[in-house]
Amino acid sequence: MSGTPPPFTADDYKARMDRAAQAAADAGLAGVLVAPGPDLVWLTGYRPPATTERLTMLVLAAGQDPVLVVPTLEAPDAAEAAGAPALTLHDWTDGKDPYAATAPFLDASGRFGISDNAWAMHLLALQKELPGTSYVSLTDALPMLRAVKDAAELERLTAAAAAADMTYEEIKRVQFEGRREADVAAELAHLLRQCGHEQVDFTVVGSGPNGANPHHEAGDRVIERGDMVVLDFGGLMHGYGSDTSRTVHVGEPSAEEQRVHDVVRGAQEEAVKAVRPGIACQDVDRVARAYITEAGYGEFFIHRTGHGIGVTTHEPPYMIEGEQQTLVPGMCFSVEPGIYLPGRFGVRIEDIVTATEDAGRRLNNTAREMAIVH
Amino acid sequence: MSGTPPPFTADDYKARMDRAAQAAADAGLAGVLVAPGPDLVWLTGYRPPATTERLTMLVLAAGQDPVLVVPTLEAPDAAEAAGAPALTLHDWTDGKDPYAATAPFLDASGRFGISDNAWAMHLLALQKELPGTSYVSLTDALPMLRAVKDAAELERLTAAAAAADMTYEEIKRVQFEGRREADVAAELAHLLRQCGHEQVDFTVVGSGPNGANPHHEAGDRVIERGDMVVLDFGGLMHGYGSDTSRTVHVGEPSAEEQRVHDVVRGAQEEAVKAVRPGIACQDVDRVARAYITEAGYGEFFIHRTGHGIGVTTHEPPYMIEGEQQTLVPGMCFSVEPGIYLPGRFGVRIEDIVTATEDAGRRLNNTAREMAIVH
């Protein structure tokens, strides 16, 4: 494990804010409105103590200095954010109208990109305060704003993936048979933290029939000999995400279990091989889906093939039919086909992959063959 | 400590959903759209494994069975929610349009209440899918939907407050001097959990000048002899919130510190005494503010006097100038005036109070005199 990467500086955040404002202008938008959450963290380094009904919003527009509207009582926290020197804080006090306080920074007839996760109550209030404005979600307007990672970001994603790989190597050695899924999940969380994660977002342990629910987390089911077990875990390390899946088996698998696993592994392999700049995101999905369909399991692959990853564990670009965005070097995303046989078992294999100048490169590098656990 | 209260049943959730649909109709709305979060938990008992860009939305309308739109891969989780038997699940699969899937359940020319925290991207997509609809945030449309607690809810809030009180009694005994705020905060979190909380939302330890920032959490500052220390902590127990503040002193206070503390304590006492059904929320704020202003510290009381509490630790009703909603028996909210002297120290005293038939009753009952800690 390498050490802690150098923190992003105010200049880094300024460059990102400038890039966002310029991208908005290029897209014909008057600006970008950023709510607390991953966009705000990425643009300013600021994460409010809690996301509440009190309006916090970053206003970016080309040719205008960035302004962060914050509740007065959170202003001291905001002022300590790494990106704070690159923006102006504008605080509003309980009892005052935060939308009226924000309006002067907005073109009253402009169209704005707004964070996907901005609260509806804030959007509705802005629509009312400035009836001449219109809005589009950032994912619709500037879906690729955070998608292409620079070297410092790739370094963090690589470190997070390496920590997830270490976690997998360790978890393979623990006892599965006779223990509750939740107990193995707790070990996964502990291992992720031990390997350097500051935040654990999910620790799926889907044993036997539970593995057939792709988003089953982990429950009281006691893992038995003969179970397939889907493991899918990740979180944040140095502010960047990990997300990997492997499907293991307690004892020897049946021929059918082995076959399903082989199909998923083959689909994942082919999809990763398909990654290169210039192909569309949907092509990655199509390659995986065609492979699984060809093998006769198409109807049991019930989710998209992948999603971007960065300061969150799920973000654009999405590897899904209909997504015509082309891959660009520096994009990082999951490739995670799966097959889910209701009431029986599931298999999913997932790596984070980055598009290089001419191909795809996995950030996760543990063996994808079905591991036999005890 | 009493044991775990009986869980809410499908009938309980059905009654809440019926109440919400009826309240919407009474307010002239076509229905209510509920996003993952506290509204959804309160109405259905369902908490999705994670809140993501995938649409999950409960549609309630008078004369129509409740429908929960969910991503296919989360449908098994939703089906296990306690309120699931009282609603119909309608799932949509990756690659399909979730808004088109939702539209058939909405009056295409209706006005809907929508959860405050629904994602802007979902609201914008609904506005686009059904241009004849209009929306208002639930806090604006039905602010008091969850505000009046029934006996089972009050029992949970009382238990959560008792656990917070036990936490305060314990934390007073620990070492403050020479330790970092963050270490005391970690003890607060540990104690809350030990006393029965399943979730810790905040553990403010604001020592010396940090206490003058009302939302300072806890940091690396080492607490010194002579410091005022604001403690403000809470979370969820059996799904319901706690939130209490006391301000303690390391060693003997100065005359000024004692005076400021006395002023806040007097303001809190008078504001609690003012609570009774029929007075407006803003009156509670006015009483506290007048008391502090009279004492010469009005400009240093920089936040509202209180907020509702229930399945969240911050919700309507708000005790703030301009809030004309009258108090109703069963409402539960904080009364928490404070004085913040920039760069020096702060004092805040907070109890959860419920409006009874004829007065206010505190759920927090620890001493409010300034405790001397070591």
Side-chain angles (χ1 to χ4, degrees):
Chain A
M1 297 299 299
S2 53
T4 302
F8 295 113
T9 65
D11 284 347
D12 293 327
Y13 290 113
K14 181 173 189 317
R16 290 177 182 178
M17 289 192 279
D18 288 347
R19 201 210 298 181
Q22 190 54 51
D26 293 347
L29 298 173
V32 173
L33 305 180
V34 185
D39 294 320
L40 190 63
V41 166
W42 186 76
L43 287 163
T44 69
Y46 179 50
R47 191 186 296 276
T51 300
T52 70
E53 70 290 348
R54 290 190 177 101
L55 182 74
T56 293
M57 193 159 270
L58 175 70
V59 181
L60 300 178
Q64 176 179 311
D65 283 338
V67 172
L68 182 61
V69 177
V70 288
T72 301
L73 50 71
E74 294 170 15
D77 295 303
E80 287 181 17
L87 53 78
T88 303
L89 287 179
H90 185 77
D91 67 318
W92 62 274
T93 305
D94 276 3
K96 298 288 186 284
D97 181 342
Y99 312 105
T102 306
F105 305 109
L106 271 56
D107 172 350
S109 59
R111 183 166 177 78
F112 291 88
I114 186 168
S115 296
D116 295 0
N117 68 323
W119 282 27
M121 73 178 294
H122 297 317
L123 172 60
L124 289 165
L126 287 170
Q127 288 174 332
K128 194 171 170 186
E129 178 76 24
L130 294 169
T133 54
S134 64
Y135 301 86
V136 56
S137 77
L138 269 186
T139 287
D140 281 340
L142 302 174
M144 299 305 137
L145 181 60
R146 297 193 265 116
V148 177
K149 272 66 184 179
D150 65 23
E153 295 183 285
L154 196 54
E155 180 191 348
R156 285 167 164 79
L157 286 164
T158 302
D165 283 356
M166 287 173 59
T167 296
Y168 175 63
E169 295 298 348
E170 292 297 322
I171 204 74
K172 275 193 300 186
R173 297 183 194 146
V174 310
Q175 178 79 21
F176 279 71
E177 185 181 353
R179 293 175 72 209
R180 296 184 319 139
E181 293 172 346
D183 296 328
V184 176
E187 285 203 68
L188 276 172
H190 176 71
L191 284 166
L192 281 170
R193 289 209 169 82
Q194 201 169 53
C195 295
H197 279 56
E198 70 265 9
Q199 179 178 315
V200 176
D201 283 351
F202 46 89
T203 52
V204 172
V205 179
S207 68
N210 288 342
N213 168 4
H215 270 206
H216 171 78
E217 281 264 333
D220 289 333
R221 185 177 182 280
V222 174
I223 301 169
E224 298 170 7
R225 186 161 195 82
D227 279 349
M228 280 284 229
V229 186
V230 177
L231 305 172
D232 186 347
F233 46 95
L236 296 183
M237 183 162 127
H238 307 320
Y240 280 74
S242 69
D243 185 0
T244 188
S245 303
R246 292 290 184 266
T247 303
V248 301
H249 198 274
V250 187
E252 288 304 311
S254 70
E256 185 195 17
E257 287 170 333
Q258 185 64 58
R259 169 161 165 74
V260 171
H261 195 280
D262 287 347
V263 171
V264 173
R265 184 155 65 91
Q268 205 257 5
E269 184 70 28
E270 292 305 310
V272 172
K273 273 191 199 157
V275 172
R276 63 174 184 280
I279 70 160
C281 291
Q282 67 179 2
D283 293 330
V284 179
D285 183 79
R286 284 177 180 177
V287 168
R289 206 163 297 277
Y291 191 100
I292 288 174
T293 302
E294 183 104 347
Y297 292 98
E299 69 185 295
F300 303 111
F301 178 16
I302 56 176
H303 57 69
R304 62 193 174 201
T305 293
H307 55 79
I309 189 166
V311 294
T312 75
T313 52
H314 282 89
E315 62 187 41
Y318 296 106
M319 307 299 121
I320 190 170
E321 182 64 32
E323 180 51 84
Q324 292 165 28
Q325 169 69 42
T326 52
L327 295 181
V328 174
M331 283 183 175
C332 296
F333 48 88
S334 70
V335 176
E336 50 172 315
I339 292 175
Y340 307 93
L341 302 180
R344 304 186 55 215
F345 66 89
V347 174
R348 181 165 63 259
I349 298 174
E350 172 183 27
D351 293 314
I352 300 304
V353 175
T354 183
T356 64
E357 290 301 322
D358 57 2
R361 180 166 58 80
R362 288 182 166 101
L363 304 188
N364 295 105
N365 294 296
T366 57
R368 279 163 289 278
E369 290 79 8
M370 181 167 30
I372 308 301
V373 297
H374 60 276
Chain B
M1 298 299 302
S2 54
T4 302
F8 295 113
T9 66
D11 283 347
D12 293 326
Y13 290 113
K14 181 174 188 319
R16 290 176 181 179
M17 288 192 281
D18 287 348
R19 200 209 301 178
Q22 190 54 51
D26 293 347
L29 297 173
V32 173
L33 304 181
V34 186
D39 293 319
L40 191 63
V41 166
W42 186 76
L43 287 163
T44 69
Y46 180 50
R47 191 185 295 277
T51 301
T52 69
E53 69 290 349
R54 290 192 177 101
L55 182 74
T56 292
M57 193 158 269
L58 174 70
V59 182
L60 300 177
Q64 176 178 311
D65 283 338
V67 172
L68 182 61
V69 177
V70 288
T72 301
L73 51 72
E74 293 170 16
D77 295 302
E80 287 180 17
L87 53 78
T88 303
L89 287 179
H90 185 76
D91 67 315
W92 63 274
T93 306
D94 276 3
K96 300 286 187 283
D97 181 342
Y99 312 105
T102 306
F105 305 108
L106 271 56
D107 172 349
S109 59
R111 184 167 175 78
F112 291 88
I114 186 167
S115 297
D116 295 0
N117 68 324
W119 282 26
M121 75 177 292
H122 297 317
L123 172 60
L124 289 165
L126 288 170
Q127 288 173 333
K128 194 170 170 187
E129 178 76 25
L130 294 169
T133 54
S134 64
Y135 301 86
V136 56
S137 77
L138 270 185
T139 287
D140 281 341
L142 303 174
M144 299 305 138
L145 180 60
R146 298 194 264 116
V148 177
K149 272 65 184 180
D150 65 23
E153 294 183 287
L154 197 53
E155 180 191 347
R156 285 167 165 78
L157 286 163
T158 302
D165 283 357
M166 287 172 60
T167 295
Y168 176 62
E169 294 298 350
E170 292 297 321
I171 204 72
K172 276 193 300 185
R173 297 182 194 147
V174 310
Q175 177 78 21
F176 279 71
E177 185 181 353
R179 292 175 72 208
R180 296 185 318 139
E181 292 173 346
D183 297 328
V184 177
E187 283 202 68
L188 276 172
H190 176 71
L191 285 166
L192 282 169
R193 289 210 168 83
Q194 201 170 54
C195 294
H197 279 56
E198 69 266 9
Q199 180 179 314
V200 175
D201 284 350
F202 46 89
T203 52
V204 171
V205 179
S207 68
N210 288 342
N213 169 7
H215 270 207
H216 171 79
E217 281 262 333
D220 288 333
R221 185 177 184 279
V222 174
I223 301 168
E224 298 169 7
R225 188 161 195 84
D227 279 348
M228 281 283 230
V229 186
V230 177
L231 305 172
D232 185 347
F233 47 95
L236 297 183
M237 184 162 126
H238 307 319
Y240 280 74
S242 70
D243 186 0
T244 188
S245 303
R246 292 290 184 267
T247 303
V248 300
H249 199 274
V250 187
E252 288 304 312
S254 70
E256 184 194 16
E257 287 170 333
Q258 185 65 58
R259 168 160 166 74
V260 171
H261 195 280
D262 288 346
V263 170
V264 173
R265 183 154 66 91
Q268 206 258 2
E269 184 72 27
E270 292 305 311
V272 172
K273 272 191 200 158
V275 172
R276 63 177 184 277
I279 70 159
C281 291
Q282 68 180 1
D283 293 331
V284 179
D285 183 78
R286 285 177 180 177
V287 168
R289 206 163 297 278
Y291 190 99
I292 288 175
T293 301
E294 184 105 348
Y297 292 98
E299 70 184 293
F300 302 111
F301 177 16
I302 56 175
H303 57 69
R304 63 195 173 200
T305 293
H307 56 78
I309 189 166
V311 294
T312 74
T313 50
H314 282 88
E315 62 187 42
Y318 296 105
M319 306 300 121
I320 189 170
E321 181 64 31
E323 181 50 85
Q324 292 166 30
Q325 169 69 40
T326 53
L327 294 181
V328 174
M331 283 183 176
C332 296
F333 48 88
S334 70
V335 176
E336 49 173 315
I339 293 176
Y340 308 93
L341 302 180
R344 302 185 58 214
F345 66 90
V347 174
R348 182 165 63 258
I349 298 174
E350 173 183 26
D351 293 315
I352 301 304
V353 175
T354 184
T356 65
E357 291 301 322
D358 57 1
R361 180 166 59 79
R362 287 184 166 100
L363 305 187
N364 294 104
N365 293 296
T366 56
R368 279 164 289 278
E369 289 79 8
M370 180 166 33
I372 308 301
V373 297
H374 60 274

